[in-house]
Amino acid sequence: MSFDAPVMAPARLLDPAWLDYNGHLNMAYYNVLFDNAVDHAFALIGCGPDYRAKRNMSFFTAETHVCYVRELRPDAEVRASVQVIDHDPKRMHLYQEIRHAEGWLSATSETLLLHVDMSGPRVAPMPEDILEKVGEMAQAHSALPRPERAGRSIGISRKPKGGTG
């Protein structure tokens, strides 16, 4: 199977119920858009909605970092992408972008996902067939440049005290 690099979720309009009192997309719904894009990518590797029911396994988010670059207004049409940056038998490191239909960047997300055996629940290796498909997707994405916004940390930078500059 070949995978798009990156995987692109279908374009969609914003749900008017997702707007906040400032008239733009509420920050929580950026995560909904990112999550829907991951669901799209997961369906391609065999981890769609029936994965838990059939195999009693799932993925949990361990960490995520969202950067809000440019606000989305009520009439926006958007697409979200998914890029596999790294993976091992128990984890996936993803980078995502939400872009307006005009092409400009609205938000990014970097996420670490854990594969979970729901009988514990506990972190567990992916089944071989799933790991193989994740590897194929990662291979397709390996030709992409490492995203500039990947690996960012959050904090307030301060100038040293007592300096002359």
Side-chain angles (χ1 to χ4, degrees), residues 42 52 57-63 90-92 111-118 121-123:
F42 276 2
R52 181 174 177 181
M57 295 181 175
S58 189
F59 284 88
F60 287 7
T61 300
E63 183 174 350
K90 296 180 182 180
R91 299 173 294 189
M92 291 180 69
T111 304
L112 180 65
L113 298 169
L114 304 175
H115 186 263
V116 175
D117 177 341
M118 297 302 292
R122 65 183 181 281
V123 176

Side-chain angles (χ1 to χ4, degrees), residues 95 97 145-152:
Y95 174 80
E97 294 183 343
R146 181 167 178 86
E148 180 182 322
R149 291 182 166 269
R152 294 170 54 103

Side-chain angles (χ1 to χ4, degrees), residues 8-162:
M8 298 296 297
R12 63 162 297 152
L13 295 172
L14 301 181
D15 184 327
W18 295 356
L19 303 177
D20 63 20
Y21 53 82
N22 293 315
H24 59 231
L25 186 65
N26 179 281
M27 62 184 274
Y29 294 101
Y30 284 85
N31 284 306
V32 171
L33 293 169
F34 285 128
D35 196 47
N36 288 342
V38 169
D39 286 346
H40 175 75
F42 276 2
L44 297 174
I45 62 171
C47 297
D50 60 346
Y51 185 61
R52 181 174 177 181
K54 288 184 177 178
R55 297 201 185 185
N56 202 33
M57 295 181 175
S58 189
F59 284 88
F60 287 7
T61 300
E63 183 174 350
T64 192
H65 185 164
V66 177
C67 293
Y68 304 96
V69 179
R70 186 170 170 187
E71 68 182 342
L72 290 170
R73 298 260 177 208
D75 60 344
E77 181 179 353
V78 298
R79 287 192 78 182
S81 63
V82 177
Q83 177 180 348
V84 178
I85 293 178
D86 198 4
H87 74 287
D88 67 20
K90 296 180 182 180
R91 299 173 294 189
M92 291 180 69
H93 180 187
L94 304 179
Y95 174 80
Q96 296 181 262
E97 294 183 343
I98 295 173
R99 291 193 174 269
H100 189 276
E102 295 173 355
W104 49 263
L105 181 65
S106 175
T108 64
S109 179
E110 187 173 5
T111 304
L112 180 65
L113 298 169
L114 304 175
H115 186 263
V116 175
D117 177 341
M118 297 302 292
S119 66
R122 65 183 181 281
V123 176
M126 295 175 232
E128 285 299 318
D129 62 317
I130 300 300
L131 183 59
E132 183 177 323
K133 289 178 186 168
V134 170
E136 290 171 12
M137 186 177 282
Q139 181 62 36
H141 295 181
S142 69
L144 296 170
R146 181 167 178 86
E148 180 182 322
R149 291 182 166 269
R152 294 170 54 103
S153 64
I154 192 168
I156 299 173
S157 60
R158 305 213 187 262
K159 293 182 180 182
K161 291 185 180 187

